[in-house]
Amino acid sequence: MHAMVLKKLRTDLVWSELPDRHPGPGEIRVHVAACGVCRTDLHVVDGELPDPQVPIIPGHEIVGRIDELGPDVTGLTVGERVGIPWLGHTCGVCPYCVRHRENLCDRPLFTGYTRDGGFATAVVADARFAFPLGDKGADVALAPLLCAGLIGWRSLRLAGEGPKLGLFGFGAAAHLITQVAKGQGRSVFAFTRPGDTATQNFARGLGAAWAGDSDTRPPEPLDAVIIFAPVGALVPLALRAVRKGGRVVCAGIHMSDLPGFPYALLWEERQLVSVANLTRQDGLDFLALAPRMGLVAQTTVYPLRQANQALADLRAGRFEGAAVLVP
Ligand SMILES: [Zn+2]
Ligand SMILES: [Zn+2]
């Protein structure tokens, strides 16, 4: 197999030939057809997540077909198309796992962070965390659903049901969640880096009711805001944008430090929460909903060998929507 391997933190991934791997008990091997590029991959490369492990193969928005089953795998077959998400394994016995909050498991494994991911021609995964994808939809179009879509979906649920939703940071997740929120009859207010009129136009094109700079106020108070950008300085701006009792959801795994801000921004029962990871139920719910809503991922495709270029373009905001690697 071949892979783009992170050998040392804060360096380019290296194209590498590796011995073929075989699935152990309860595992499957998946021949990768497409793997999305997520901001979390940048945090992995940059060493911004706790206890980084190298060498590691990043990538956790994997679409491919099973080409080998390990012992004791039930319910999946060779040739079946599956998606492999960020949540790669949970212990099943910690207080979070047994209370249906496996996203907070005490002993998890995460694809592309603490177990090898999909910037590769093949990946070995825990079969219980693979989502059957069926045969509808293109591999490339499905890949961004597996994190941008899923984490966006969990964030949207945590944001509550208010009709006026703000999104700070309009990348892969926001462009999908705008479509979901519109489908639910909500109005979306999109905040981008100041002056990024291209992305503001992109947001309007997807149906956002309003789009503007992150340092401006929306035309009316919002019920909730989801912050997808990894920028702590956005938190007080988001709190300022929500009404009394409104909620701000921080959707990313990493953020720069939050600045101090007046308590008045939180006062009046505004809430500030974060979203961590996903549960398998989130995945099943969202992947069933996505085709019914006709979600369309806008993708920019890169050959697997150009993963470093894709990461650089993501960092610089050089494309709209999501980047996807194809082996
Ligand atoms: Zn657990
Ligand atoms: Zn991700």
Side-chain angles (χ1 to χ4, degrees):
M1 62 175 277
H2 287 87
M4 292 296 286
V5 182
L6 179 66
K7 298 199 168 177
K8 196 166 165 246
L9 298 178
R10 293 175 286 279
T11 62
D12 278 352
L13 309 183
V14 180
W15 175 255
S16 307
E17 182 168 4
L18 303 168
D20 280 340
R21 297 171 183 182
H22 296 282
E27 292 182 329
I28 52 175
R29 190 177 70 189
V30 174
H31 183 77
V32 178
C35 185
V37 180
C38 173
R39 182 159 294 279
T40 298
D41 298 314
L42 282 180
H43 297 317
V44 169
V45 170
D46 291 345
E48 289 171 327
L49 306 186
D51 306 318
Q53 296 174 18
V54 284
I56 189 83
I57 303 170
H60 55 270
E61 298 181 303
I62 307 166
V63 176
R65 290 191 184 269
I66 298 173
D67 69 357
E68 192 178 343
L69 296 175
D72 309 324
V73 173
T74 53
L76 293 170
T77 54
V78 169
E80 185 172 0
R81 187 167 67 162
V82 292
I84 309 295
W86 169 249
L87 189 69
H89 176 83
T90 56
C91 76
V93 296
C94 75
Y96 299 100
C97 280
V98 300
R99 288 185 196 125
H100 307 289
R101 301 189 74 185
E102 65 180 359
N103 60 308
L104 301 178
C105 174
D106 283 335
R107 287 176 294 280
L109 289 176
F110 296 113
T111 310
Y113 169 34
T114 56
R115 72 178 291 163
D116 279 332
F119 289 5
T121 54
V123 62
V124 170
D126 185 325
R128 297 171 305 151
F129 293 81
F131 297 117
L133 291 178
D135 288 320
K136 269 198 179 159
D139 300 324
V140 164
L142 288 172
L145 303 185
L146 285 156
C147 183
L150 272 177
I151 296 291
W153 168 246
R154 187 173 176 84
S155 306
L156 182 64
R157 282 190 21 240
L158 255 74
E161 295 186 343
K164 290 175 203 153
L165 176 72
L167 302 177
F168 277 66
F170 206 87
H175 101 286
L176 291 169
I177 290 313
T178 294
Q179 298 173 53
V180 177
K182 283 277 296 172
Q184 293 173 331
R186 309 190 202 212
S187 300
V188 172
F189 298 74
F191 298 78
T192 74
R193 297 178 215 212
D196 187 355
T197 52
T199 302
Q200 290 167 15
N201 288 334
F202 178 59
R204 285 189 207 96
L206 287 168
W210 176 92
D213 297 348
S214 58
D215 55 0
T216 56
R217 286 173 190 262
E220 50 194 317
L222 306 178
D223 297 304
V225 164
I226 304 172
I227 304 178
F228 289 115
V231 181
L234 294 174
V235 168
L237 300 177
L239 283 167
R240 193 180 71 178
V242 297
R243 60 162 169 77
K244 291 183 278 189
R247 185 178 286 190
V248 173
V249 179
C250 300
I253 191 169
H254 172 82
M255 247 190 185
S256 52
D257 286 352
L258 275 54
F261 54 84
Y263 177 59
L265 290 178
L266 189 61
W267 166 241
E268 295 171 325
E269 301 196 348
R270 291 176 181 85
Q271 299 173 50
L272 177 62
V273 299
S274 67
V275 162
N277 313 315
L278 65 135
T279 66
R280 280 172 282 180
Q281 193 60 48
D282 292 330
L284 295 172
D285 293 347
F286 176 70
L287 292 169
L289 175 99
R292 285 207 306 272
M293 285 201 152
L295 290 200
V296 178
Q298 172 152 330
T299 54
T300 302
V301 176
Y302 298 77
L304 174 59
R305 273 175 180 262
Q306 289 178 21
N308 291 309
Q309 187 62 50
L311 287 167
D313 290 349
L314 172 61
R315 193 188 295 280
R318 279 194 283 262
F319 54 80
E320 305 296 352
V324 179
L325 303 179
V326 174

